[in-house]
Amino acid sequence: MTQVLSGNSIALVGTPDQIADRVVEFVSLGFDKVLLRGFPHLEVITEIGAEVIPRVNERLSQAVTH
């Protein structure tokens, strides 16, 4: 994917937990925006919204309270 997309891209492949962990890692490095996308668009963005974003939010809220 990173070979065919213009600009800076990183291809994340893994379980929703693995993807969420990596997004949280990016946030801890100072990233304040991360674009998550995939193909086919509708199916992947639906899965990201249902499976990845809640995990990211949970991990970030736990990090703030600890």
Side-chain angles (χ1 to χ4, degrees):
M1 293 299 296
T2 59
Q3 299 286 324
V4 298
L5 298 173
S6 62
N8 297 322
S9 296
I10 296 172
L12 299 178
V13 179
T15 67
D17 282 318
Q18 291 169 325
I19 302 299
D21 288 342
R22 185 53 52 103
V23 171
V24 170
E25 182 181 345
F26 291 148
V27 171
S28 72
L29 292 171
F31 289 74
D32 59 357
K33 293 179 180 51
V34 178
L35 172 64
L36 300 174
R37 60 183 177 174
F39 301 99
H41 296 295
L42 181 58
E43 290 84 355
V44 172
I45 200 65
T46 300
E47 185 175 346
I48 289 170
E51 301 294 333
V52 176
I53 299 301
R55 287 169 166 84
V56 170
N57 289 337
E58 179 183 343
R59 285 162 172 75
L60 291 176
S61 69
Q62 288 175 353
V64 170
T65 60
H66 288 97

